[in-house]
Amino acid sequence: MSRFEAMDGNAATAEAMRQINPDVVPAYPITPQTSTVQTFSQFVADGEVDTEFIRVESEHSAMAACIGASAAGGRVMTATSANGLALMWEMVYIAASNRTPIVMTVVNRALSGPINIHCDHSDSMGARDAGWIQLFGENPQEGYDNCIQAVRIAEHEDVLLPVMSMYDGFITSHGLERVQIEDDGAIKDFVGPFTAHEALLDVDHPVTYGPLDFYDFYMEHKRQQVEGMKHARRVILEVAADFEKRFGRHYGFFDGYRLDDAELALVVLSSTAGTARSVVDDLRSQGLKVGLLKPRVFRPFPAEELADALRDKAVVGVMDRSDSFGALGGPLFMELSAAFKIHDVPAKTVDYVFGLGGRDTTPDQIESVFRDLAGIAETGKIQQPVTYLGVRE
Amino acid sequence: MGRVLREKYTRQPTPFCPGCGHGIFLNAFLHAVDELGLDFDKTVFVSGIGCGAWVPSPHFQADTLHVTHGRAVAFATGVKTANPDLNVIVIGGDGDIATIGGNHLIHAARRNLPLKVFCLNNFLYGMTGGQVSATTPQGDITSTTRQGNPERPFDLVDLARGAGAPYVARFPVSQPRKLKRGIINALSFDQFAFMDVLSLCPTQYGRANRAKRGYEGPSMIWSMLEHQKGTVAPREKLDSENPEGKIPIGEWYAES
């Protein structure tokens, strides 16, 4: 039987990790992720899991140990945030290139400097080209559900890629909400036993991970990573379908809210979607045809599906909780704009960079975005392709 | 801290928890600075992440470089190399300087640039919630070692000496006069100097190990100070056997 509990995002993720019972968890404390692995270390101390918990001396070592443990044939998980992820950088790429199916929770936090511990998406957006599958969750429930599905996605033999599961630092990681926790046995059945592929320590079938790989074969190996990502698109949906069948909660590439007949659409990741939904309701009651699209999967980027969902909209506003300095706008805006171009979507698009370093984003600001979109729909003119919300200028 | 020192060298009150040993170090450090006549206008303080790193930044009325976790010594190496006329002083905690940044510490000791590194050792990560660090004594309770730390700690004096540091010292905050004298010696030394400052963290370490260590009485903080005094002894008084397992304090100059 499933049960309902009041949990914050980190507690829910630690609970998912307890139920998954990974073989190895190397981890290092960093705000706001800390309580995830700290809670998990309590499970280790209490003997509730069979996990080897390694208290490493840095995040670089954490990911290095993850890769070693995964290559040796273990189911491996960890968690980090911001500068922890940045310190892992070298290893983050190696994890994907070695096809080690590690699952890592990344509690989104602004990447310093100056030092900031609050939420934005600059940490995981910076890692968007590292070769990891990236899932964004809105609340503790989605953090829990994504963490569990991530294991199945990563370990699928057609994928074998590491997965990052994200949710917003403090807003979700430390915000207490109602979370439906599934039965231990049901989760164990869902994730299934771990099957190692090409593991080290198999003396009858020796393998080598990460040797020199120059112009003769390097490009083929990169091409295979691309193939793994392509398969991931199918596997993410298959795993979501099985998850829905067993537990009743629906997941896909994205989540639409009052989107089908909307003329003005807003695209925003993670917890801000919750605020945006209430604004959509308010404006709908005033007769404005507005809707919301919350992407869940950022890598692989579901370009075609997003293009189809937004094809008939007059104006699409993207809200980016990170910037790409010197680029055309935030990462979500750029990806979506490219998708629109490739898939012939005529909708006008504009970008709003918001909430950097935990800057509060109010319903009023989101309403101003919709009013802006309505103005663009009326005049057919975009005054400003990228706007910074709530900033002193 | 005396009112004069406070006005002369600091910008704002400290944010440390009641009973934090870092405040005693701060006091001793500023007394040493004043006695020595160290010119804050020609001094750069470098610090990373953690409670210890907050001693200089944002409190001192001097130039401070507040950097990422573990990298203070590496940044300080850059500062000293670019402008050798500056006094370059690193203040941070054991998690920062000896754990995530341990590699920089040993290489700075080996390189022997005249940096001064003060490691405020409270035996765990205080700021992030009391997790195990590389100096947590074996068997001690932290928030990530609920059954006791299974691993052995670094002896930071041995580590720095082994890496070639020509001046190494260890003093506890429970003996502030000795601590101040040591700081003066470290700051006036003309080569690389490292000090393992035995600090206190009542909030994280004290609470977690209260039962185990027997910190008794209404004032756990006082009990921790008493306990610290009882566990250290001047290195000159300890023979090589050290049957009581006391932590040697004092100064170690390289024989050159």
Side-chain angles (χ1 to χ4, degrees):
Chain A
M1 278 295 286
S2 69
R3 63 186 199 275
F4 288 97
E5 287 207 27
M7 279 186 168
D8 63 29
N10 288 351
T13 303
E15 185 67 4
M17 289 172 74
R18 182 187 67 74
Q19 294 179 319
I20 292 162
N21 193 8
D23 297 311
V24 182
V25 171
Y28 188 85
I30 184 165
T31 306
Q33 166 281 123
T34 310
S35 61
T36 312
V37 286
Q38 193 173 303
T39 307
F40 186 75
S41 73
Q42 182 76 55
F43 296 142
V44 176
D46 293 345
E48 292 189 43
V49 288
D50 308 310
T51 308
E52 285 290 337
F53 184 71
I54 314 177
R55 299 155 190 93
V56 285
E57 67 281 2
S58 78
E59 287 91 350
H60 190 274
S61 311
M63 187 44 66
C66 281
I67 295 166
S70 184
R75 179 176 270 163
V76 182
M77 301 181 80
T78 188
T80 194
S81 289
N83 287 60
L85 178 60
L87 185 55
M88 282 180 186
W89 217 254
E90 181 186 35
M91 293 298 143
V92 167
Y93 275 76
I94 303 231
S97 305
N98 278 349
R99 310 295 295 270
T100 47
I102 297 158
V103 171
M104 171 163 66
T105 295
V106 176
V107 183
N108 283 133
R109 158 186 154 179
L111 197 50
S112 301
I115 299 164
N116 187 303
I117 57 169
H118 293 281
C119 175
D120 71 34
H121 298 163
S122 52
D123 51 0
S124 54
M125 279 304 175
R128 65 191 187 272
D129 293 335
W132 287 56
I133 292 161
Q134 294 187 315
L135 310 175
F136 283 85
E138 180 184 332
N139 48 38
Q141 183 73 61
E142 293 192 4
Y144 172 82
D145 292 349
N146 280 341
C147 184
I148 290 161
Q149 292 179 60
V151 175
R152 279 267 300 267
I153 297 165
E155 293 172 6
H156 194 287
E157 63 177 351
D158 293 340
V159 178
L160 288 177
L161 287 171
V163 180
M164 275 180 212
S165 165
M166 266 71 69
Y167 48 82
D168 285 349
F170 290 108
I171 302 159
T172 305
S173 68
H174 289 60
L176 213 61
E177 288 192 31
R178 180 176 179 270
V179 183
Q180 186 169 5
I181 301 294
E182 301 299 337
D183 180 63
D184 285 4
I187 296 300
K188 195 177 169 189
D189 283 350
F190 178 79
V191 296
F194 179 69
T195 311
H197 294 270
E198 312 287 349
L200 297 168
L201 309 181
D202 179 356
V203 289
D204 295 329
H205 306 93
V207 291
T208 300
Y209 275 80
L212 276 183
D213 187 18
F214 286 166
Y215 29 70
D216 46 358
F217 272 107
Y218 185 83
M219 207 158 160
E220 281 72 20
H221 288 133
K222 293 291 123 182
R223 182 71 182 81
Q224 287 178 354
Q225 267 180 260
V226 174
E227 211 57 23
M229 270 292 180
K230 276 190 185 165
H231 291 309
R233 294 164 57 84
R234 169 176 55 82
V235 171
I236 287 167
L237 294 182
E238 285 171 6
V239 170
D242 190 32
F243 188 88
E244 187 176 3
K245 201 173 87 187
R246 292 173 193 237
F247 307 118
R249 289 185 294 281
H250 173 76
Y251 285 91
F253 289 136
F254 55 83
D255 181 36
Y257 183 70
R258 305 185 85 161
L259 188 66
D260 291 346
D261 67 334
E263 288 164 6
L264 310 174
L266 186 72
V267 180
V268 66
L269 291 163
S270 300
S271 66
T272 312
T275 318
R277 233 178 257 119
S278 71
V279 176
V280 166
D281 286 342
D282 283 352
L283 295 179
R284 280 274 182 174
S285 67
Q286 295 170 30
L288 248 70
K289 292 187 119 181
V290 297
L292 171 75
L293 187 148
K294 178 192 70 177
R296 169 186 178 233
V297 181
F298 191 78
R299 284 285 182 273
F301 193 74
E304 200 175 345
E305 292 80 358
L306 288 171
D308 286 345
L310 297 166
R311 185 171 297 283
D312 59 348
K313 310 303 167 206
V315 190
V316 175
V318 179
M319 285 177 68
D320 265 295
R321 201 162 193 163
S322 62
D323 207 349
S324 183
F325 302 102
L328 298 172
L332 187 55
F333 173 70
M334 286 194 291
E335 297 272 347
L336 202 64
S337 298
F340 282 9
K341 172 75 181 163
I342 290 166
H343 296 285
D344 294 321
V345 176
K348 288 194 176 342
T349 46
V350 279
D351 192 21
Y352 298 85
V353 175
F354 76 102
L356 302 184
R359 174 73 46 98
D360 198 18
T361 305
T362 61
D364 286 352
Q365 285 172 352
I366 296 174
E367 185 177 332
S368 79
V369 169
F370 276 120
R371 302 277 178 209
D372 224 16
L373 302 185
I376 294 168
E378 204 174 299
T379 61
K381 282 187 185 150
I382 295 171
Q383 302 285 351
Q384 198 172 320
V386 184
T387 304
Y388 291 80
L389 284 181
V391 70
R392 301 178 192 94
E393 287 190 284
Chain B
M1 199 187 310
R3 186 175 173 78
V4 176
L5 286 183
R6 187 181 300 168
E7 284 169 5
K8 195 170 169 187
Y9 296 110
T10 69
R11 315 181 208 253
Q12 63 189 72
T14 73
F16 300 122
C17 304
C20 176
H22 295 5
I24 305 175
F25 170 81
L26 199 159
N27 190 344
F29 186 84
L30 290 183
H31 272 95
V33 161
D34 205 55
E35 198 171 314
L36 204 58
L38 185 80
D39 184 358
F40 262 28
D41 285 342
K42 289 191 178 138
T43 304
V44 172
F45 290 93
V46 188
S47 61
I49 300 296
C51 300
W54 278 65
V55 167
S57 166
H59 298 107
F60 286 178
Q61 289 189 36
D63 285 342
T64 58
L65 187 58
H66 206 139
V67 304
T68 53
H69 199 24
R71 313 303 148 200
V73 174
F75 275 85
T77 302
V79 173
K80 188 70 187 175
T81 314
N83 195 343
D85 293 338
L86 293 171
N87 307 308
V88 183
I89 299 170
V90 175
I91 300 175
D94 51 297
D96 191 38
I97 287 174
T99 311
I100 195 170
N103 201 32
H104 301 304
L105 172 64
I106 56 173
H107 286 281
R110 176 183 65 79
R111 192 172 287 119
N112 196 20
L113 283 178
L115 306 173
K116 316 298 172 191
V117 180
F118 296 91
C119 181
L120 309 189
N121 187 354
N122 57 12
F123 309 112
L124 43 57
Y125 293 95
M127 187 179 275
T128 43
Q131 294 85 5
V132 70
S133 84
T135 60
T136 306
Q138 198 162 16
D140 278 12
I141 311 290
T142 72
S143 60
T144 46
T145 56
R146 300 308 298 172
Q147 302 276 24
N149 178 22
E151 296 173 6
R152 296 173 302 165
F154 272 140
D155 180 320
L156 296 184
V157 166
D158 286 353
L159 181 72
R161 291 186 73 211
Y167 172 95
V168 178
R170 178 190 286 129
F171 290 104
V173 294
S174 53
Q175 299 182 12
R177 287 178 199 281
K178 282 188 185 171
L179 176 62
K180 185 193 84 174
R181 185 51 45 197
I183 295 168
I184 289 172
N185 291 342
L187 292 178
S188 19
F189 191 62
D190 63 351
Q191 301 171 66
F192 181 84
F194 174 78
M195 186 182 291
D196 178 17
V197 181
L198 302 179
S199 190
L200 297 179
C201 180
T203 305
Q204 302 293 356
Y205 185 85
R207 280 186 192 156
N209 293 283
R210 186 170 195 164
K212 180 174 179 289
R213 291 274 178 198
Y215 299 138
E216 286 168 356
S219 170
M220 182 180 74
I221 295 162
W222 186 256
S223 178
M224 285 183 82
L225 278 167
E226 287 292 316
H227 184 264
Q228 187 185 67
K229 269 194 209 165
T231 54
V232 299
R235 57 177 288 234
E236 298 79 14
K237 287 190 183 169
L238 294 174
D239 59 26
S240 58
E241 297 285 318
N242 189 10
E244 290 172 46
K246 299 259 187 187
I247 300 168
I249 56 169
E251 294 169 302
W252 288 260
Y253 286 89
E255 293 162 23
S256 54

